[in-house]
Structure formats: structure tokens, C-alpha cells
Amino acid sequence: MKSNKFVIAVYVDNKFGVLTRVTSMFTRRGFNIDALTVGETERPEYSRITICLSGDGYAREQLINQLRKLHNVKKVDVLQDDCIKRELMLLKVKYTTETRADILAATDVYRAKVIDYTTDEMCIEVTGDPTKIDAFIKIMIPFGIIEMCRTGIVALERGNTTLFD
């Protein structure tokens, strides 16, 4: 990741309206969220929000301090650059009999999966580091990307540490 990009993990109460309060805080302060993923945790009463955004060190500290002040926020942490980051992408691409083998070879190299196909289109699932997904997109552009959808980053610290340590 670039030095001005960072990932924040936020544990919040799993209640309606909490995500709106968190994202509104970013909007009020003029920050753009690059990626946002939310899901229930191993404890059903909590959700984990993973936010990827850009900013300098001062901005990062201000955001963390403001997040910690929100009522339903239980824990906030900036994840280290060496954390495990993954993303999922679904991509629909055109193919012909001449390009089919090249697309399948790229799919094989990137350990992606063809999950649907018709006579002239295929849908491919790719999971991995965001840089891997970016590289796969660059390879698929010449074939004609019809549509794609990315989930955003999910991330965990390496080793035996957890957000609640």
C-alpha cells in the first residue's frame, strides 16, 4: 500500500443505523472512502467495518479519535501494512474461439475460477490481494470487459493478535 493509504478496522454494535453514523462522520469531515466492507463478526452482537482510505498521518489520527467518540463504536484500529488483505471480484468478459484459450490461461495463472459462461461471454471470480485483482483487470481489458463488481478489502492482522487484544 502507498504510504498515504491505510486500512481501519472498526468493531461496532450490530444494530440498524450504526453504519450510517460511521460513514456520515467521514462525509462531514470531507474524507472519501476508497473501499468499505461490513459484516457480522464471530459474535452476532457486533459487526466489523473495514475501511480503506487515503490521508496523511494527522488526518488518520483525527479520524480514529472521532470514530472512538461514536456511541456504538466498540474498538478502532489501524491495520499494519503487512496485514492480510483480500478482495473478491466478479468479472464478465467477451470471448471468441480465438481468445478463449488466452482468457482461460490467464484465469489459471491468477488462480481464478470461471463460474458462468455462454457462447460468447464468461463470468470469472477472482480473490486475492487488491494488486492481484488490479493486474487481472489489466490483462482482461483487451478482451472486452462487459461488467465487473468488486467487494472492497477485508483485512486481518497477521499472527495471533486480534482487534480486542
Side-chain angles (χ1 to χ4, degrees):
M1 279 196 149
K2 296 176 186 173
S3 60
N4 65 341
K5 285 198 171 221
F6 54 98
V7 178
I8 299 175
V10 185
Y11 264 65
V12 297
D13 290 329
N14 189 8
K15 296 181 179 176
F16 65 90
V18 174
L19 180 61
T20 301
R21 282 187 218 111
V22 170
T23 55
S24 294
M25 194 269 309
F26 286 89
T27 303
R28 285 192 307 270
R29 281 153 186 79
F31 282 91
N32 185 43
I33 297 172
D34 297 331
L36 178 117
T37 54
V38 184
E40 191 176 274
T41 67
E42 67 283 356
R43 301 181 208 170
E45 65 271 18
Y46 297 114
S47 288
R48 181 182 174 124
I49 304 173
T50 305
I51 306 166
C52 180
L53 58 147
S54 302
D56 59 19
Y58 177 75
R60 177 176 33 210
E61 291 307 314
Q62 289 291 72
L63 284 172
I64 292 167
N65 290 336
Q66 294 298 317
L67 279 170
R68 286 184 176 138
K69 291 179 185 178
L70 294 177
H71 173 68
N72 296 108
V73 172
K74 301 304 174 196
K75 180 77 175 169
V76 180
D77 198 14
V78 176
L79 301 180
Q80 301 299 314
D81 284 340
D82 68 339
C83 69
I84 302 165
K85 295 182 270 306
R86 294 293 181 264
E87 189 173 355
L88 166 71
M89 177 184 67
L90 300 178
L91 180 134
K92 193 181 292 185
V93 65
K94 295 178 190 176
Y95 74 90
T96 63
T97 52
E98 295 83 26
T99 61
R100 183 177 182 273
D102 292 335
I103 293 171
L104 291 175
T107 300
D108 204 29
V109 167
Y110 282 85
R111 287 185 245 147
K113 291 190 281 187
V114 176
I115 56 173
D116 186 45
Y117 67 93
T118 64
T119 55
D120 59 349
E121 299 171 352
M122 66 177 78
C123 186
I124 302 167
E125 174 187 315
V126 186
T127 57
D129 191 88
T131 56
K132 170 187 170 182
I133 292 177
D134 292 339
F136 187 77
I137 291 169
K138 286 180 183 174
I139 289 173
M140 290 295 120
I141 287 172
F143 299 110
I145 295 173
I146 299 166
E147 185 177 15
M148 70 179 203
C149 177
R150 293 175 77 159
T151 60
I153 295 171
V154 291
L156 288 174
E157 290 284 357
R158 292 187 181 276
N160 61 0
T161 62
T162 68
L163 198 59
F164 280 106
D165 285 344

